[in-house]
Structures are given as structure tokens and as C-alpha cells.
Amino acid sequence: MELRVAHLYPDVMNLYGDRGNAIAIRARCARRGIGCTVRPVAIGDRFDPGDADLVLIGGGQDREQRRVAPDLLARGPALREAVEGGLPVLAVCGGFQLFGHRYVDHEGGSIPGIGVFDAETRHPGPAADRCIGDIVVETRFGEVAGFENHGGRTYLAPGQEPFGRVRLGYGNNGEDGTEGAVRGNAIGTYLHGSLLPKNPVLADWLILAGLRRRYGPAVELAPLDDSAEERAHAAAVRAAERRARRPSRTA
Ligand code: GLN
């Protein structure tokens, strides 16, 4: 078997190690003897989501988001259709924001998104505190740990499923306890870190969703020795717990 990963704008949307998500996916496939190709998709590249088994997009500062948005917008209809057809996606932070309807940036400029998630993000302006720190989220994949650094606050429309509930940290907006969003096999989240190396259950869920969409529901993944990943996960949770014990913060 082979997993075809499309990595959108890896040269532009790659904050706080998000490239590590592609590295983790490829490594977890290789350890099982599963082929994995990671194809970078740059602005202007030809790309058919039907040729991918998993799509990744990382985070970016407002100016990077403005730079990629027109190209991503043109890919919106095909990506929405592919997600409706079960395409797994991991969209992190700035990428997550652009997979919503729009992101109103720190200067009040509206950057249009592609509406995979029924969500909107608004930056409260440069005077507002950023949502920065270690974060732990309870999700249907179990406990997920990572690092967040965003100014934008994301608000989910009624009926839009969150990725999870914040146990420690800010999450979507520091107000309603939600983090990220899920539609089908597409996951949006604020968690950098990078996310997947220290959350192996989530990494494997994305791999399995991609392989089953291509090879059928009988596909299974052999278990791996995840002792190193679990140590990294526990360290991230401890970091979030230490931060939570510090004086309170405002979102
Ligand atoms: N520029 C966006 C914000 O500040 C996203 C940041 C990011 O991707 N880390 O909210």
C-alpha cells in the first residue's frame, strides 16, 4: 500500500514545526512497510485532491495567510467536494482558519476562507493578548497535547462539531471551551508542536482514514512501540499543567 500526502504551501504555511506532521506520517508508514509520498503543493501548482489520500496545511502569520488565500480559494470547491467524499485533512492554526469561512486579521482585513468548516475567525486587534501556550484537549481520539500561538479567535456555527474540549489552554477563542473543528475526516486545530509526533493515536487515525478511503475498510495498521511518543505526549501535558498553575491569563 501507499499513502499519498499532499502538503499545501509547506514553504509558506509552516509555523512552529508544522512540517513535523508530514515527517511523522511518513515515519509511521515506513515503520509498517507502507509507502508514503509527500507532495508539496505550492501556489500555482496543479493539484487534484482526488489524487491525494491525506491533505496537510500548517500555520502562518497573517501576511502568509494573505499570500496563499487567493490560490487556496481557487482550490476551495475541489477541496470541499473531496472532504465531503471522505478526504482526511489536518489543517493547523492559520491553515485551519482559512478552511473556515474567513479570517478577519489583526488589521481588520477580511481574508476569505474555503468554508470546509462552518466557522469564522476574528483577530481582536494588535492590543489584545495572543492565545499562547501549551494546550491539552479532550477529543474523541483521546487526550491531545500541543502548543498554540494565535491572535485570531475562532467561533463555530451551531452544529459545527469541535475537534475537542479544552482541558488546559485557550483553544478556539478562550471563551467557549471548544478547540478546532471536525467535518467528516477533516480536522482543524490550533495545535502546533508539531502535533502528530506526540499524538500517535491521531496520526494513525489520519493514516488509516486515508488508506481505507483508497484500499477499503478492511485495512488495519500494525501496532507500533510508541513509548517515545508517549513520553513526549506526557511531557507536553506536564508543561500545560505547569503553565495552568501560573497566575491566570486573559484571552
Ligand atoms: N495568523 C493567525 C493568527 O494570528 C494564525 C497564526 C498561526 O498559524 N500560528 O491567529
Side-chain angles (χ1 to χ4, degrees):
M1 293 187 291
E2 179 198 42
L3 186 76
R4 299 164 302 176
V5 179
H7 193 174
L8 304 184
Y9 321 114
D11 53 336
V12 180
M13 299 292 280
N14 173 41
L15 274 185
Y16 313 119
D18 292 333
R19 187 182 299 269
N21 292 327
I23 295 169
I25 292 285
R26 187 161 37 205
R28 298 187 70 80
C29 285
R31 288 167 65 188
R32 293 171 167 118
I34 298 169
C36 178
T37 57
V38 178
R39 178 195 165 197
V41 178
I43 292 171
D45 282 357
R46 280 182 48 75
F47 165 60
D48 177 355
D51 297 336
D53 303 311
L54 169 62
V55 167
L56 304 175
I57 181 169
Q61 297 183 51
D62 291 13
R63 66 171 173 273
E64 277 97 7
Q65 291 173 281
R66 287 190 211 105
R67 186 172 150 202
V68 305
D71 186 85
L72 180 62
L73 213 55
R75 303 181 194 277
L79 282 167
R80 282 195 302 275
E81 182 181 352
V83 167
E84 291 309 311
L87 175 69
V89 175
L90 178 67
V92 178
C93 202
F96 164 39
Q97 296 171 340
L98 295 182
F99 268 58
H101 294 303
R102 68 175 184 153
Y103 168 44
V104 180
D105 69 19
H106 75 287
E107 294 174 332
S110 182
I111 306 174
I114 62 171
V116 165
F117 302 118
D118 195 1
E120 175 172 292
T121 301
R122 297 185 291 275
H123 194 301
D129 287 342
R130 290 183 65 81
C131 300
I132 299 177
D134 305 280
I135 177 171
V136 177
V137 183
E138 302 299 341
T139 79
R140 63 167 123 129
F141 309 96
E143 177 188 77
V144 175
F147 180 82
E148 62 183 326
N149 183 337
H150 54 102
R153 274 63 168 178
T154 295
Y155 298 90
L156 307 181
Q160 170 56 64
E161 180 187 357
F163 174 45
R165 305 290 304 178
V166 175
R167 179 162 77 83
L168 295 166
Y170 296 98
N172 281 335
N173 49 55
E175 300 160 27
D176 63 15
T178 66
E179 202 294 319
V182 173
R183 179 173 298 284
N185 290 328
I187 294 173
T189 179
Y190 274 110
L191 275 66
H192 294 285
S194 43
L195 175 64
L196 296 184
K198 59 169 93 59
N199 294 284
V201 172
L202 181 59
D204 282 353
W205 183 87
L206 288 165
I207 292 169
L208 197 56
L211 291 174
R212 284 181 171 169
R213 178 168 168 271
R214 185 174 177 191
Y215 296 104
V219 173
E220 294 295 344
L221 289 182
L224 296 176
D225 170 9
D226 282 334
S227 50
E229 291 80 355
E230 285 154 11
R231 285 197 302 274
H233 179 94
V237 172
R238 286 195 301 272
E241 288 168 342
R242 279 196 304 275
R243 180 181 289 272
R245 288 195 291 269
R246 289 184 199 152
S248 63
R249 315 165 309 282
T250 55

